[in-house]
Amino acid sequence: MAEKKKDEPQEKPSGGKMKWIILILLLLVLLGGGAGVAYYFLIYKAADQTEVAADAVDAEEGAAPVAATPAQPQGPLIYHELEPFTVNITTPGPVRFLRLQMTVVTRDEGVVAAVDKHMPMIRNDLLALLATQESSVMNTPEGKDALREQLKQTVSGILTRMGAPSGVTDILFTDFVMQ
């Protein structure tokens, strides 16, 4: 009974080759997944960080970034007070004079030095701008905000033309009298 007959088919070891195929396939899947993770962290993330840095450079140069990221403050605010401006208003109306004192807000000491260096040109352009304002418009909060923005653009434009740092953050009114 212990002997096998020659006519009976012998059992083949059926799991040997199949186990190797499954093991190789699992190994390939793990290697592919590892390569995908490595690509994501090493190449894709590095390219994404390079784009963010390029967008920040474009934003400094005046181009609009594709994805706006919150700007990190570069340093504390610096307030640089300018001498008072007194201007004759040339537009018709009850107001004839404007006395204005303002402060330039920046985060860069270089801007303060540039404003002091180019003060004659800045005063000239600001006086010309202030003289053309309408008193009825300047008497409203929206008009004052628009004037502040015009003054900021004028100062920044002069500093840019002169090749100086032009990082003016804001213009603040410290005295505003119309008579």
Side-chain angles (χ1 to χ4, degrees):
M1 264 198 98
E3 287 184 13
K4 291 185 181 180
K5 295 183 181 179
K6 290 185 179 182
D7 294 337
E8 286 184 22
Q10 294 182 357
E11 292 182 26
K12 295 182 180 178
S14 61
K17 288 184 180 180
M18 189 59 103
K19 286 180 186 177
W20 279 106
I21 291 173
I22 291 174
L23 184 63
I24 290 173
L25 287 176
L26 282 174
L27 185 62
L28 287 174
V29 168
L30 285 174
L31 286 174
V37 169
Y39 172 79
Y40 177 77
F41 283 111
L42 296 176
I43 297 174
Y44 184 73
K45 281 286 192 173
D48 189 28
Q49 289 174 353
T50 304
E51 287 179 10
V52 168
D55 289 344
V57 169
D58 288 345
E60 289 176 4
E61 294 175 355
V66 175
T69 57
Q72 298 295 327
Q74 300 158 347
L77 290 176
I78 302 167
Y79 300 97
H80 182 63
E81 191 169 329
L82 303 180
E83 293 180 21
F85 291 82
T86 304
V87 183
N88 290 330
I89 302 293
T90 58
T91 58
V95 176
R96 301 186 125 188
F97 296 100
L98 171 65
R99 182 171 181 266
L100 180 69
Q101 189 159 0
M102 64 184 112
T103 300
V104 175
V105 181
T106 184
R107 293 185 185 275
D108 185 4
E109 286 285 341
V111 173
V112 173
V115 166
D116 287 339
K117 180 179 179 183
H118 300 291
M119 185 52 71
M121 186 178 300
I122 291 171
R123 281 190 71 82
N124 177 66
D125 288 5
L126 293 183
L127 287 171
L129 174 66
L130 291 170
T132 62
Q133 299 300 309
E134 292 185 23
S135 61
S136 61
V137 174
M138 287 189 297
N139 220 8
T140 65
E142 295 83 16
K144 287 179 182 154
D145 287 342
L147 178 60
R148 286 178 43 230
E149 185 61 32
Q150 288 176 345
L151 294 169
K152 176 183 164 187
Q153 294 300 323
T154 301
V155 172
S156 294
I158 292 169
L159 294 177
T160 301
R161 273 194 327 243
M162 295 295 121
S166 61
V168 176
T169 305
D170 203 359
I171 298 285
L172 303 175
F173 296 140
T174 54
D175 191 19
F176 195 95
V177 178
M178 293 189 295
Q179 289 183 338

